[in-house]
Amino acid sequence: MASNSLTGRGRWPQPDSFLSGLGSELGSGEAATGGRWLAMMGGTALGVIGLRRSGWGGAMLALGGAGLFAVGALGLRPLGERSLRAVPNPGAWRSVPASRRRSLTPERTQAVVTIASEPGAVFRFWRNFANLPKLMPQLERVDVLSATESRWLAKAASGGEGPSWRCVLDRVDEDRLLTWHTVGETALPHRASLMLSPAPGDRGTEVRLTLVYRVPATEVAALLGVTPEGQAEEALRRLKQRVETGELSTIERQPRGNGSGSFREATE
Amino acid sequence: MKALCWNGTNDLRVERVPDPVLVNPHDVIVKVALSSVCGSDLHLIDGYVPTMRPGDIIGHEFLGEIVEKGPEVRYLNRGDRVITVSIIGCGHCGHCQHGESSLCDNSNPNPDYARTAYGHCGAGIFGYSHAFGGYAGSHAEYIRVPYADFNAFRVPEGVSDEKAVFVSDAVPTGYMAADMAGIKPGDVVAVWGCGGVGQMAIRSATLLGAERVIGIDRFPDRLRAAQMKVGAETLDYSRVDIFDALQAMTGGRGPDVCIDAVGMEADSASNAAEDLYDRAKQAVGLQTDRPAVLRQMIESCRKGGTLSIVGVYGGLIDKFPMGAAMNKGLTFRMGQQNGQRYADRLFEHIRNGDLDPSYLMTHRLPLDEGPQAYRMFKEKADDCLRVVFAPQG
Ligand SMILES: [Zn+2]
Ligand SMILES: [Zn+2]
């Protein structure tokens, strides 16, 4: 993977390359070994903690641990990977000079969802880039500058000003395909596409969002507060809900207790 | 307002919490008149559902009056007396459009737990842990109902609150168990579990053409109710061998349809060794659910028969007799209830006297007695079938 080839360290993953390796697909060389190793170690630890703890919470932990261990040992994609990826590690790439921080091979993420709608509604919603902050909560706003140009401003993941970039649309194939890429100086150079195709039967439209960042996933996460995978999945989930229902399901602002009530055993 | 909150395993408290507010344009706020306990709540209270958080308001079967509505709500009005289906659908995704609202793509705002554990996420459920969306439940004075036009149903004139409240959960769950089993005239149906859902499954099986229905339980009051109220023949599994009894009653064929209205906390009093095995494995986390009923259904069912499962399972089970299931050519149907598909039909059955679920309400109590009420319900004390809270007093 990019991290290992850049740092040129030995066979076993070092802390920084190891973490960045988690951002890649498992099954590709040493980074994959790292992911599996972590899953097995984490699985064992969870299992041990779980068994030592009393009660059902412990039992569930132990179960989770056992499962994670099995996943690691068998070399499958660990269930915990999603949460591991979501942890940004700003330090991971510090030791490498800025000019060399670009990934040699761009990292590609794709998410897909089926939306119960004609492609037109989906396409029109996305085509207006000013709508995109509704789908990507990490964006502050997108200013549409012309028919093909837009300026994107992200929220700051950790204080100060968020990253920004300019985008140019390059392909607009009505109700089928939209591709765009960043131009000029930016900390997050990337290109992206939204592809629509009819689902079989009356199942609506299959929507594929592809993000190709020229920086590693860990760096995207550090700057944007979300990994490319998380960004793509969340955007499509929100797109689907917006188009299908006109709103976003939520449990915001709903009441909950704070343990202040009188304690009474519900059962024996 | 007052609400019954889960604070930990076997720790329920009545607390003062803020009133719910409209959040989305399709929401309504319902002032809860009746809110029933449900057997599946016991899995939460017992700590078998892992994504509960202290402070969560439980309860998912309720009836009340709409007191506020969002700007996009079209078919409901303030003052409407409604039941709300316990499993939330959005009304628009492919599953909701095809009558499988419990598989809704959009109503669970917290899909990652379920996607990690199950591959895909199902619908949100009121008061049923964060894996099912983390929605606040109905054991409270007020509740917010999302996608209200799809999930709330006006109760027809002439149907009392006591009959209507169970159309929220117990009746459609039982009805769906019978419906998806594809019962044909002349079929013999066996129903494991004679709680509220099991009894509704028994009645529904008869409505859908079953020749005989056999209810299985060990609590005398439930067996009596299954016999007297919904016309089942009954078997007490603590006294007879269920396999032998069912074969004897069906000329050695076995029941055509077997319905599981028990779920993950099944016990097998007729087989102490098996029960101990399952409880031990569950205790150390090597399985999450006890499959005693499933094993018994697979063994007892006729060759080529159908198993219909509406008892709730959460995770993994062990020693699942797949060989028997495959070689006997069994069909499995299962799922959380799709009440939106059945509500109108069920109100019609209630109106013309085919169905009267009101007898399930053996106890009606104020919300303040929530913790004791759940204890009574769990221990099946005082012939308790279902406690229903009246949060407005
Ligand atoms: Zn229920
Ligand atoms: Zn839906």
Side-chain angles (χ1 to χ4, degrees), chain B residues 27-41:
Chain B
D27 293 350
V28 299
I29 304 293
V30 169
K31 181 175 164 191
V32 180
L34 296 176
S35 178
S36 174
V37 305
C38 172
S40 60
D41 290 330

Side-chain angles (χ1 to χ4, degrees), chain B residues 37-41 60-61 86 128 169-170 173 197 312 337 386:
Chain B
V37 305
C38 172
S40 60
D41 290 330
H60 57 260
E61 183 165 45
S86 58
Y128 209 75
D169 189 73
T173 307
V197 169
V312 172
Q337 59 122 341
R386 287 214 162 184

Side-chain angles (χ1 to χ4, degrees), chain A residues 244, chain B residues 89-97 101 103-107 150:
Chain A
E244 288 184 348
Chain B
C90 75
H92 298 280
C93 70
H95 293 291
C96 284
Q97 285 178 356
S101 39
L103 308 178
C104 177
D105 286 332
N106 294 320
S107 64
F150 187 66

Side-chain angles (χ1 to χ4, degrees), chain B residues 217-218 220 236-241 270:
Chain B
D217 206 299
R218 71 181 160 99
D236 177 343
Y237 69 82
S238 66
R239 289 167 186 274
V240 299
D241 183 286
S270 59

Side-chain angles (χ1 to χ4, degrees), chain A residues 109-185:
Chain A
T109 301
Q110 190 172 77
V112 61
V113 74
T114 300
I115 300 182
S117 158
E118 296 303 311
V122 183
F123 191 84
R124 277 193 302 277
F125 191 89
W126 196 287
R127 171 77 176 83
N128 179 2
F129 279 4
N131 278 332
L132 294 185
K134 293 173 188 163
L135 307 181
M136 302 179 189
Q138 60 277 11
L139 294 179
E140 185 66 50
R141 60 170 204 275
V142 177
D143 299 325
V144 178
L145 305 173
S146 73
T148 55
E149 276 189 284
S150 53
R151 187 173 37 234
W152 303 46
L153 180 65
K155 290 174 185 160
S158 51
E161 205 169 287
S164 64
W165 56 89
R166 262 179 356 110
C167 269
V168 172
L169 264 178
D170 23 49
R171 285 191 60 184
V172 182
D173 187 353
E174 199 74 19
D175 296 350
R176 271 181 224 265
L177 179 70
L178 207 54
T179 68
W180 63 98
H181 67 276
T182 55
V183 290
E185 258 314 296

